[in-house]
Amino acid sequence: MDLNTNLALLEKIYKIYDDFAVKLNVACKRYCSECCTRNVTLTTLEAYKIVNYMRAKDQTVLFRKLEVESYKKRFQPKTTTNGLANLCIQGEEIPDEENNYIWGKCPLLHNDECPLYPPRPFMCRCFLSKQNCREQGHASIDPFVLTVNNVFLQYIEHIDAHGFTGNLTEILLFLESEDNRQAYENKAVRPDTRGLIPNQPIKALFIPPEHRDKIKPILQSIQAIKLS
Ligand code: SF4
Ligand code: SF4
């Protein structure tokens, strides 16, 4: 599929998720930003959409905010969601991943608001807590929501199977470059690009037996949009 088709698919996937999320009873509200850490990861397709928004809205100064904090520790994944699922299927060892919210706030956060809220990546859409994280000291996420989130992460990676996953800082700074954007458009990004890990198509979905019936309508909605 071409890039514009994939961007349209991504938009539809976000819409299905947002329609699901709006019905949940969660504590999340405007200016609540404890979950906005520097550990957010996303795919190149999501980042491409964000970079288009930054350029259209004259927000490219945000690249410099990412750059000045790029020396700071952050979550840099070794495996993608579909990569993890595939390792599980094969009975292979799952690599240890170091991730800690104390590494600090998202470099983009400004006055407790996201300057990229409309095109924010899926990871920022799906962190939905039943209790206020600041008051309680931690999030409380419904197990079914976690299952739904994993499935959406898998489909979002699947439609960008020729692309990459990485930390928000790495991927946005990578796609700031016109040459890199063109390489991505032409499916010609080098697989050994620092900080980026290649995406994989879905081989199996992460759905525990107790959620298989409940998630069926959501799966049908996703499959109805005709993914490759
Ligand atoms: S996940 Fe926690 S910190 Fe983030 S918006 Fe929801 S309640 Fe607030
Ligand atoms: S991109 Fe926006 S929503 Fe996501 S962590 Fe950063 S400030 Fe928060």
Side-chain angles (χ1 to χ4, degrees):
M1 294 225 192
D2 67 32
L3 186 53
N4 286 333
T5 306
N6 284 341
L7 287 166
L9 285 174
L10 179 65
E11 204 55 53
K12 288 180 184 172
I13 290 176
Y14 281 170
K15 170 82 169 64
I16 294 168
Y17 187 82
D18 291 345
D19 288 348
F20 161 76
V22 78
K23 295 181 201 135
L24 299 174
N25 186 13
V26 291
C28 306
K29 54 181 189 276
R30 197 169 177 187
Y31 305 121
C32 192
S33 64
E34 292 295 296
C35 53
C36 286
T37 72
R38 63 178 65 257
N39 300 329
V40 167
T41 62
L42 71 168
T43 60
T44 31
L45 182 66
E46 294 177 280
Y48 188 89
K49 174 183 166 68
I50 293 170
V51 170
N52 282 349
Y53 178 91
M54 289 164 77
R55 285 155 59 94
K57 300 286 179 186
D58 207 13
Q59 293 221 53
T60 50
V61 66
L62 294 173
F63 287 121
R64 303 289 67 78
K65 290 187 79 173
L66 293 168
E67 195 171 41
V68 295
E69 296 205 21
S70 63
Y71 69 94
K72 293 185 179 172
K73 196 170 173 76
R74 58 188 170 276
F75 176 55
Q76 292 169 304
K78 295 177 189 154
T79 319
T80 66
T81 311
N82 287 334
L84 275 175
N86 295 341
L87 287 176
C88 288
I89 295 168
Q90 291 155 9
E92 303 263 346
E93 199 174 326
I94 307 295
D96 282 340
E97 299 268 23
E98 200 188 356
N99 192 349
N100 200 321
Y101 71 93
I102 63 164
W103 293 336
K105 290 282 186 190
C106 174
L108 300 176
L109 195 64
H110 181 70
N111 292 337
D112 283 323
E113 284 203 282
C114 176
L116 300 174
Y117 192 79
R120 71 200 183 287
F122 182 73
M123 264 214 148
C124 304
R125 290 165 195 264
C126 76
F127 208 83
L128 299 164
S129 175
K130 291 190 283 183
Q131 62 183 22
N132 185 295
C133 303
R134 188 171 296 172
E135 288 165 8
Q136 303 298 323
H138 58 89
S140 170
I141 305 178
D142 183 281
F144 180 66
V145 173
L146 285 175
T147 296
V148 171
N149 290 353
N150 271 327
V151 164
F152 274 81
L153 284 168
Q154 288 194 259
Y155 277 110
I156 288 168
E157 180 181 341
H158 179 84
I159 59 171
D160 191 30
H162 76 274
F164 295 80
T165 288
N167 184 283
L168 181 92
T169 295
E170 266 76 38
I171 297 216
L172 289 188
L173 287 179
F174 177 78
L175 288 179
E176 180 188 9
S177 146
E178 183 67 42
D179 286 350
N180 290 341
R181 274 201 306 281
Q182 275 183 16
Y184 176 63
E185 287 160 8
N186 297 328
K187 304 185 181 178
V189 177
R190 287 170 55 95
D192 58 350
T193 303
R194 193 162 170 266
L196 309 188
I197 44 174
N199 289 338
Q200 299 184 32
I202 292 172
K203 289 194 181 149
L205 291 170
F206 270 131
I207 305 175
E210 66 271 24
H211 294 153
R212 284 187 188 148
D213 283 338
K214 195 174 173 186
I215 205 169
K216 271 183 188 163
I218 294 174
L219 292 181
Q220 283 163 357
S221 299
I222 297 174
Q223 284 154 5
I225 60 178
K226 303 214 179 333
L227 304 166
S228 63

